[in-house]
Amino acid sequence: MENLNIIPNIQPVILADKNYKWDHIWETLAAVYLALPWIIFFATWLRPIFAILGLASIVTAFILFKHSSKPEIFTPTINKKQFGLAILILLGLVLFSGISYHFPQAMDYVKHHEVWQDLLVKTWPVHYEVNGEPFFMDYYVAYYLPPTWLAKLFHIPYKIPSIIWAVVGLSLALYGFARIFGKRPILGLLMFFLISGQDLLWIWSIDVLHWFRTGEYVPLPWGEIIVEPLAYLSFIYKGTFDHLLWAPQHALGGWLASLLVFRRLKLEMGNWSSAFPLILSFFWSPFVTVGLMPFVAWDFLSNLGFTWKKLLFVGAGGVFGLIMLLYYEAHEAPGYTGVVWELSTRSDWFLFYLIFLLFELGAFAALVLGSWKIKKPREFQKRMFLFALLSLILIPFFHIGRANDFVMRVSIPGLIIFYSTAINAFFSSWKNRLLRLCFGLSLGLGMILPFVEVYKVWHKEIEKPVQELFPTEKYELTQLNEAYELVGVAHDFDLSKQYVGSSESIFYKFLLKKQVDEVQNP
């Protein structure tokens, strides 16, 4: 009998070691994926002294990060059948999101195409001249750099390396997400990429409120929020698939950085190593960096006290983070920036904010809290969910840009926690019929809009991959308005301002590599 009692104690250790091996490899690959654009940027865009300084700091931080991990607690492995299903999910996401360049794409691919083209045809660092004034490309180009670097190096079409690059990043993200869902990784993955808030009810509630006030019922198109007044536009969270469909440059880097931060918090490393993926996310999406800051601050405040490793992490990360901060500082601030009560043209914006919270977060939050009465959550899971919920409640008060990228992108880390907790709570409450029914209804309503987004793209956005529409045109980012006009979209503001940096900036004068060829005029 004593021998029988030993078996349960040994088996989890063996499986944990096996999982740790793969998790450790995944963590290393994810960190390399996030760091590679930084390395290319430092080596090709900066003056030698700053390039060496940036490369040395990021390599130092990476070595410290890699050697500061430890085995994770036991979680189930993924078998061959589940792996095959995961490949099918990956294939579906690649095809329907537009990153394969073989199916219709969202309107934002006009912008993506111009970034690709300028990186391909111009010498790095990319310079422009508009009305005699010099500018340089100043955008979060981490997603674009590695594929275009390979395309330029081997003289191949950029589609090939860009598809490979996106598939690798998406594969790493899928593995990280699958680990969140324990014994149901594939079902959890499928639900996670289809889930969104109760946007459908949120839109219908606006219709009904307008009908009640005016006596006129004018339904909004599915999946669209009123652009004017800005009070409406400030309150919108995108589902997981929507991020990939419209903004893979934010999504892939944001997902991997968030997963790395959350894993370090879960393992309670105590050495501030969560700061490394936080700073790496800065080049991919400064919005995601803002969304991750409260979680990393929690790590710092929970582990006060200095050690040499902490000081090295902070010092090395501070060096390459400061370089990127100066890069963005050259960027002109976008329009429509401020707090919602100053930008809104309506006095009743707070009412719409409350309705937004009710449908976007309220249903899932109530169901998660109800499921916790049936099965008590782990303390870490509880703290993370409540922390994410609080951040998602506060984020809509701030607004940046015409399409409010701040709310849509800063929410990425919080939504990972929020949606994955809701899905896991649904799994754990399966034996409670009423809770299961409410969860199923809420999840089902939340999964309608991703299909609506695909429908919009296939029928209302760009009918062909964007590079087929104007492959030989000489448009560049400084002519982005004209490029959008080719697909029937006219803008009354200068789109190019958000993609170029000033020649009067510190970065341009002291850090940016000098121009070695003539500026290619539009």
Side-chain angles (χ1 to χ4, degrees):
M1 293 297 293
E2 290 181 359
N3 290 335
L4 292 176
N5 290 333
I6 292 175
I7 295 176
N9 294 328
I10 292 178
Q11 187 67 11
V13 174
I14 296 173
L15 291 177
D17 289 342
K18 182 178 180 181
N19 285 351
Y20 168 66
K21 175 184 176 181
W22 289 110
D23 286 348
H24 189 65
I25 292 173
W26 169 82
E27 186 179 65
T28 301
L29 291 176
V32 169
Y33 188 87
L34 292 174
L36 185 58
W38 287 80
I39 294 171
I40 295 174
F41 178 77
F42 288 157
T44 58
W45 287 59
L46 300 185
R47 297 183 185 183
I49 183 64
F50 294 105
I52 294 171
L53 186 62
L55 291 171
S57 63
I58 200 169
V59 170
T60 300
F62 176 79
I63 292 173
L64 288 170
F65 180 80
K66 187 175 183 298
H67 290 282
S68 63
S69 187
K70 65 180 182 181
E72 192 174 359
I73 58 174
F74 168 70
T75 50
T77 56
I78 299 176
N79 58 40
K80 292 182 179 179
K81 181 180 179 181
Q82 292 171 330
F83 180 78
L85 293 173
I87 294 298
L88 291 178
I89 293 176
L90 173 66
L91 181 62
L93 291 173
V94 168
L95 292 178
F96 287 100
S97 66
I99 60 178
S100 68
Y101 293 91
H102 289 92
F103 284 113
Q105 296 172 321
M107 191 65 68
D108 275 10
Y109 269 84
V110 173
K111 171 195 70 180
H112 299 323
H113 178 72
E114 297 310 303
V115 175
W116 292 120
Q117 287 299 314
D118 284 2
L119 288 171
L120 280 169
V121 303
K122 290 177 174 290
T123 303
W124 292 2
V126 176
H127 289 79
Y128 304 100
E129 185 177 295
V130 180
N131 299 324
E133 184 178 355
F135 294 92
F136 68 99
M137 182 183 285
D138 188 8
Y139 186 61
Y140 16 92
V141 294
Y143 173 71
Y144 309 93
L145 280 185
T148 48
W149 179 73
L150 289 172
K152 290 167 77 78
L153 183 65
F154 295 105
H155 304 286
I156 57 176
Y158 77 89
K159 285 195 300 181
I160 298 173
S162 67
I163 293 171
I164 295 173
W165 176 245
V167 168
V168 170
L170 188 54
S171 301
L172 290 170
L174 287 179
Y175 180 88
F177 288 137
R179 300 292 277 147
I180 296 176
F181 299 112
K183 296 180 180 180
R184 300 178 179 87
I186 303 305
L187 181 58
L189 273 180
L190 188 60
M191 295 175 69
F192 184 74
F193 274 92
L194 291 177
I195 197 173
S196 66
Q198 312 300 294
D199 293 322
L200 194 61
L201 296 179
W202 152 236
I203 294 171
W204 280 347
S205 68
I206 295 177
D207 296 340
V208 172
L209 187 61
H210 179 75
W211 182 27
F212 178 77
R213 287 179 168 181
T214 65
E216 182 182 5
Y217 183 72
V218 182
L220 291 172
W222 274 19
E224 296 181 9
I225 303 293
I226 296 176
V227 175
E228 298 292 347
L230 285 171
Y232 295 100
L233 190 60
S234 293
F235 308 137
I236 177 172
Y237 284 145
K238 289 288 187 179
T240 312
F241 178 74
D242 290 347
H243 285 294
L244 186 64
L245 182 69
W246 288 89
Q249 78 278 21
H250 292 279
L252 294 178
W255 291 341
L256 290 176
S258 299
L259 289 167
L260 286 174
V261 168
F262 298 153
R263 183 171 188 270
R264 287 298 169 122
L265 293 177
K266 181 180 179 182
L267 296 178
E268 297 181 345
M269 300 301 302
N271 55 14
W272 297 355
S273 59
S274 61
F276 182 58
L278 168 78
I279 301 175
L280 287 180
S281 71
F282 197 30
F283 194 23
W284 287 81
S285 173
F287 299 110
V288 170
T289 307
V290 173
L292 283 172
M293 278 182 176
F295 296 96
V296 176
W298 171 20
D299 183 23
F300 275 50
L301 295 174
S302 301
N303 300 283
L304 294 175
F306 291 99
T307 65
W308 69 270
K309 281 189 175 181
K310 288 181 179 179
L311 291 175
L312 275 177
F313 260 127
V314 173
V319 169
F320 66 86
L322 178 60
I323 292 174
M324 192 54 58
L325 183 63
L326 291 173
Y327 174 68
Y328 286 135
E329 185 272 335
H331 191 79
E332 181 175 338
Y336 302 99
T337 297
V339 290
V340 63
W341 52 85
E342 293 179 352
L343 293 174
S344 176
T345 58
R346 300 185 62 106
S347 59
D348 57 355
W349 65 268
F350 192 71
L351 173 62
F352 290 98
Y353 167 72
L354 294 178
I355 296 174
F356 167 76
L357 292 185
L358 175 65
F359 291 119
E360 192 74 22
L361 306 176
F364 285 143
L367 291 170
V368 167
L369 296 176
S371 71
W372 286 356
K373 292 185 177 181
I374 299 174
K375 184 177 179 180
K376 189 176 180 180
R378 294 175 179 173
E379 188 62 27
F380 173 80
Q381 181 186 19
K382 183 178 179 181
R383 288 201 309 261
M384 290 290 282
F385 178 77
L386 295 177
F387 211 62
L389 179 60
L390 178 61
S391 69
L392 292 172
I393 290 173
L394 297 176
I395 286 171
F397 285 122
F398 199 72
H399 188 113
I400 292 181
R402 184 68 171 252
N404 201 3
D405 279 10
F406 183 86
V407 168
M408 290 189 288
R409 313 309 175 205
V410 173
S411 60
I412 287 177
L415 289 176
I416 290 175
I417 297 294
F418 187 78
Y419 288 150
S420 62
T421 303
I423 293 170
N424 278 326
F426 172 65
F427 292 153
S428 65
S429 62
W430 190 255
K431 294 181 181 180
N432 186 296
R433 181 175 297 178
L434 177 61
L435 199 57
R436 184 179 71 226
L437 179 63
C438 293
F439 254 123
L441 181 61
S442 297
L443 289 167
L445 286 172
M447 291 178 182
I448 292 176
L449 282 184
F451 290 101
V452 174
E453 285 293 318
V454 173
Y455 172 82
K456 283 171 54 183
V457 169
W458 282 52
H459 293 276
K460 298 182 181 180
E461 297 287 340
I462 301 175
E463 296 180 355
K464 296 180 179 180
V466 70
Q467 79 279 359
E468 295 182 10
L469 297 176
F470 44 98
T472 59
E473 298 289 346
K474 300 300 182 182
Y475 291 121
E476 57 182 29
L477 281 175
T478 57
Q479 301 167 292
L480 199 55
N481 286 44
E482 292 91 332
Y484 269 104
E485 288 176 359
L486 280 178
V487 292
V489 178
H491 290 272
D492 59 353
F493 59 100
D494 186 2
L495 284 167
S496 302
K497 287 183 178 180
Q498 58 187 319
Y499 303 102
V500 296
S502 170
S503 58
E504 298 299 317
S505 63
I506 295 174
F507 187 86
Y508 184 91
K509 291 180 177 179
F510 301 104
L511 278 73
L512 192 67
K513 187 183 294 185
K514 290 185 178 180
Q515 190 175 357
V516 296
D517 60 348
E518 287 190 1
V519 174
Q520 299 183 28
N521 291 314

